[in-house]
Amino acid sequence: VVDNAAPEPEDIVYFPQLLQEAGYQTAFFGKWHMGNEGDHPRKGFHHWEGLRGQGEYYNPSLNINGKRTKFTDSTYITDLITDHAVDWMKKQKKDKPFFVYLSHKGVHAMFQPAKRHRGKYKDKPVQLPPSYDLTATDKYREHGIPEWVKQQRHSWHGVDYMYHGQFDFETFYRSYLETLLSVDESVSTVLDYLKENGLDKNTIVMYMGDNGFSFGEHGLIDKRHAYEESMRVPMVVSCPSLIRAGSVTEALVQNIDVGPTLLEYAGVATPKHMQGTSFLNVLKGKAQQHRDKIFYEYYWEYHFPQTPTMFAVRSGKYKYIHYYGLWTQNELYDLEKDPHEMQNLIADPQYKAMVKDLSAQVFDWLQTTNGMQI
């Protein structure tokens, strides 16, 4: 699945199908948004409550096991699907394992906080990131930032014309944080249920985003680029019997590793066709590394034509970004010395051999994964 619009392959196997075969009861609640706008039930879930496309914050419609239901009276989506998820868990047999995928609408633009959270941060100052003004003048050239990034500043995904002028930056930032508060409450509700029912010790709870997000870095907002703010995804994992509380790891993992990790914990073998690998040993503290590098891909979208197709490879120290279809420079960053990615090293002679090697790695990866033929 390479974008929001392409159809899902008919022969695709979702990892919850494998959990079903192992005796798990499975349920999905919320935003799916793969395979175009469809909210219809997908394979692998005994119970399904899906939003159409992005869904709505207030008075949403849910496709509940094939029947669309409209909710009114200022129903707020985060509260609704949280309550439904907990209600579903309450109905499960105590001697049967279960898997819940609670996929929030929040926080997706256009942000709408719950009524109880509106204005909570209206007086809080907004701190701009170090690279906010980097593309505001021609000084971006001396830093080696590509021209398309400069132009993006005045687009749907740029700070000077965000969402076609519907927000100013500070309103946008505060509204995001206020919208996130209901998601915080949702997490607490789920964790409280598990604890109250003696399920907290051995249940893996994986909290993550489906993407990173920029708040003014390089003059950008939203996602769809290979800088750290977009490429990195929040992830917190809890399972007291397995994971030491408060532990942190620098291991490189990807979203394709989530399924195999949960499968291994459930005692289910990962099929050979799955590209990801389990990072359960990292969670247990038995391994400090998982991958020596990760790859990134973004394909041009009709609705956001200002952002090009790009590919990237990232190790613990360096990141190389390759653009397709642009007569512009690629990018190389030393993430240890330059964590805000403000000085492109691509033209520095001392990195010539490294750039050649990283470029070859990207193309080899595309070939082995049947990626874009370029």
Side-chain angles (χ1 to χ4, degrees), residues 327-369:
W327 290 103
T328 186
Q329 70 264 49
N330 296 321
E331 297 176 87
L332 175 70
Y333 294 100
D334 183 331
L335 299 174
E336 291 181 358
K337 295 180 180 179
D338 181 23
H340 300 292
E341 297 166 289
M342 296 178 66
Q343 188 60 56
N344 185 5
L345 303 174
I346 200 75
D348 190 325
Q350 67 176 309
Y351 294 101
K352 185 176 180 179
M354 177 186 293
V355 169
K356 183 178 180 180
D357 177 62
L358 293 174
S359 178
Q361 290 183 34
V362 168
F363 281 87
D364 288 345
W365 168 70
L366 286 170
Q367 184 175 14
T368 57
T369 58

Side-chain angles (χ1 to χ4, degrees), residues 109-285:
M110 311 300 274
F111 312 127
Q112 294 185 44
K115 291 180 180 179
R116 61 187 178 276
H117 297 140
R118 289 177 185 170
K120 186 173 181 63
Y121 296 126
K122 63 182 177 63
D123 298 323
K124 294 288 185 180
V126 174
Q127 184 175 349
L128 301 178
S131 61
Y132 183 89
D133 290 324
L134 187 59
T135 54
T137 66
D138 278 349
K139 66 181 180 181
Y140 77 97
R141 297 181 186 276
E142 65 189 73
H143 290 266
I145 306 301
E147 174 70 20
W148 79 267
V149 181
K150 160 74 171 176
Q151 298 302 323
Q152 183 84 299
R153 191 180 184 94
H154 303 277
S155 77
W156 175 272
H157 289 146
V159 295
D160 293 338
Y161 194 49
M162 55 179 61
Y163 303 118
H164 290 178
Q166 297 183 60
F167 283 112
D168 64 87
F169 183 79
E170 292 196 355
T171 300
F172 156 82
Y173 189 78
R174 293 188 180 105
S175 182
Y176 176 96
L177 295 178
E178 291 170 3
T179 304
L180 187 60
L181 287 172
S182 63
V183 179
D184 293 343
E185 293 173 349
S186 171
V187 174
S188 291
T189 298
V190 171
L191 293 178
D192 287 346
Y193 170 78
L194 294 175
K195 187 174 184 178
E196 290 166 3
N197 289 272
L199 299 170
D200 55 316
K201 295 294 189 294
N202 296 314
T203 299
I204 282 190
V205 179
M206 190 172 290
Y207 174 89
M208 61 182 294
D210 60 342
N211 49 260
F213 208 89
S214 290
F215 289 101
E217 293 86 357
H218 297 86
L220 304 176
I221 62 165
D222 206 86
K223 49 209 174 192
R224 297 177 171 86
H225 55 79
Y227 297 128
E228 288 290 271
E229 301 78 32
S230 174
M231 188 176 185
R232 297 187 68 175
V233 177
M235 175 181 276
V236 181
V237 187
S238 172
C239 184
S241 67
L242 185 75
I243 305 168
R244 181 173 58 84
S247 55
V248 177
T249 178
E250 296 295 325
L252 299 173
V253 300
Q254 294 184 265
N255 56 3
I256 56 174
D257 299 326
V258 170
T261 302
L262 296 178
L263 289 175
E264 183 182 1
Y265 187 60
V268 180
T270 299
K272 292 182 179 180
H273 72 266
M274 293 183 73
Q275 293 174 323
T277 57
S278 170
F279 57 93
L280 199 62
N281 276 341
V282 172
L283 296 178
K284 292 177 179 179

Side-chain angles (χ1 to χ4, degrees), residues 28-72:
F28 174 87
F29 301 87
K31 180 179 179 289
W32 182 266
H33 209 191
M34 292 183 289
N36 214 329
E37 299 291 303
D39 59 4
H40 58 277
R42 265 49 173 210
K43 296 179 292 185
F45 298 100
H46 294 106
H47 184 82
W48 172 275
E49 300 191 18
L51 295 166
R52 183 171 177 80
Q54 287 279 3
E56 309 91 3
Y57 276 106
Y58 281 93
N59 299 330
S61 293
L62 284 176
N63 185 323
I64 302 178
N65 296 323
K67 181 180 180 181
R68 192 169 294 131
T69 301
K70 177 72 173 179
F71 294 85
T72 58

Side-chain angles (χ1 to χ4, degrees), residues 299-311:
Y299 294 95
W300 180 89
E301 295 177 88
Y302 176 83
H303 296 293
F304 306 108
Q306 68 275 11
T307 306
T309 292
M310 67 188 78
F311 308 100

